[in-house]
Amino acid sequence: MSVVTRPPATGDDTVTAYERAVAAWTARRDRRQGAPLPGLPAAFTGAVLVEGVSDSAALHAAAGRLGVDPAAAGVAILPMGGAMSVRWFVDRLAPAGVRLHGLCDEAEAAFFRRAGLEDGEISVCRPDLEGELVRALGTARVESVLAREGDLGLFRTFQRQPAQRGRHVAAQLHRFLGTTSGRKEAYGRLLTAELPAHELPLPLGRALTALLDDLSPSRSDRHV
């Protein structure tokens, strides 16, 4: 096992660039070919480990609503390409002194615990990110976003499918939002951005604030 190291700081060596490099690395499945994880930026102090790009998009949108900048604080949001990769990331980042926090679906929390993260280091979406967002917004507001994005007609067609007839609208929306990866990512960002800070799902707020030392107690307590 190789532990990632920190190269000397350079003008381009930013946490945001590192997030993008890891996302690209994960998307290419370079790990399966033995390519090393990109080297850590000198300013890198913590990472929120998330299952995929939809979670990353939602957290970045939530940061905007909360008025916080994780990258400026040295905290990266890293999509891992699935919950089963969490041990691989923990084994390489923790020995380098990187503080870690996880955001995951309820069904995947056991992977994070087995990787060595304590319950206080894991924010769990119940049952998942889409479920949290639909519950926070309510069905009418979710449908309003779908209409604005030109997808409400697709959703109405989806509702007429035999498997969806008779189901609650919230369950239909949950299924519709999770049917394709591109839709998951787009609406992870769009639906989160629709929420004011005080309405953000608790797991999103907690995942963002857990590693940010410069937040005031009053703001942190409000979202954790």
Side-chain angles (χ1 to χ4, degrees):
M1 181 190 76
S2 61
V3 175
V4 290
T5 57
R6 299 174 188 269
T10 68
D12 295 329
D13 192 11
T14 66
V15 173
T16 299
Y18 183 72
E19 288 181 342
R20 293 171 180 162
V22 170
W25 178 87
T26 301
R28 293 193 304 266
R29 303 297 184 188
D30 283 357
R31 174 166 56 85
R32 294 181 181 176
Q33 281 74 49
L37 193 66
L40 299 180
F44 189 34
T45 63
V48 182
L49 301 176
V50 301
E51 295 183 50
V53 292
S54 60
D55 307 289
S56 175
L59 280 179
H60 281 290
R65 303 305 280 166
L66 288 169
V68 299
D69 187 350
V75 176
I77 299 167
L78 302 181
M80 302 178 296
M84 288 186 289
S85 296
V86 62
R87 180 181 292 277
W88 195 94
F89 276 80
V90 170
D91 285 349
R92 283 152 181 81
L93 294 175
V98 177
R99 296 173 301 144
L100 300 174
H101 193 89
L103 175 72
C104 64
D105 298 344
E106 188 172 25
E108 313 299 345
F111 289 108
F112 285 70
R113 296 188 183 101
R114 287 198 292 269
L117 296 183
E118 303 291 338
D119 285 345
E121 298 171 322
I122 309 169
S123 296
V124 180
C125 294
R126 294 180 169 85
D128 52 24
L129 175 64
E130 292 76 30
E132 292 279 359
L133 292 174
V134 171
R135 189 161 56 246
L137 279 163
T139 59
R141 280 197 287 174
V142 175
E143 288 192 357
S144 177
V145 177
L146 291 177
R148 189 179 68 216
E149 298 301 313
D151 284 334
L152 187 58
L154 285 175
F155 177 60
R156 295 293 183 234
T157 299
F158 176 81
Q159 288 180 297
R160 291 193 291 271
Q161 294 180 0
Q164 299 303 319
R165 293 172 188 167
R167 299 186 73 198
H168 191 277
V169 176
Q172 294 172 335
L173 285 167
H174 179 266
R175 177 60 180 160
F176 179 78
L177 294 170
T179 52
T180 66
S181 60
R183 184 179 293 158
K184 283 169 64 76
E185 180 181 359
Y187 281 100
R189 174 178 53 82
L190 290 167
L191 296 180
T192 304
E194 201 72 13
L195 289 163
H198 68 278
E199 291 184 10
L200 287 171
L202 291 179
L204 293 184
R206 184 167 175 262
L208 281 170
T209 61
L211 299 178
L212 301 181
D213 295 331
D214 58 348
L215 290 177
S216 66
S218 60
R219 173 177 284 177
S220 181
D221 290 345
R222 191 160 58 245
H223 299 287
V224 175

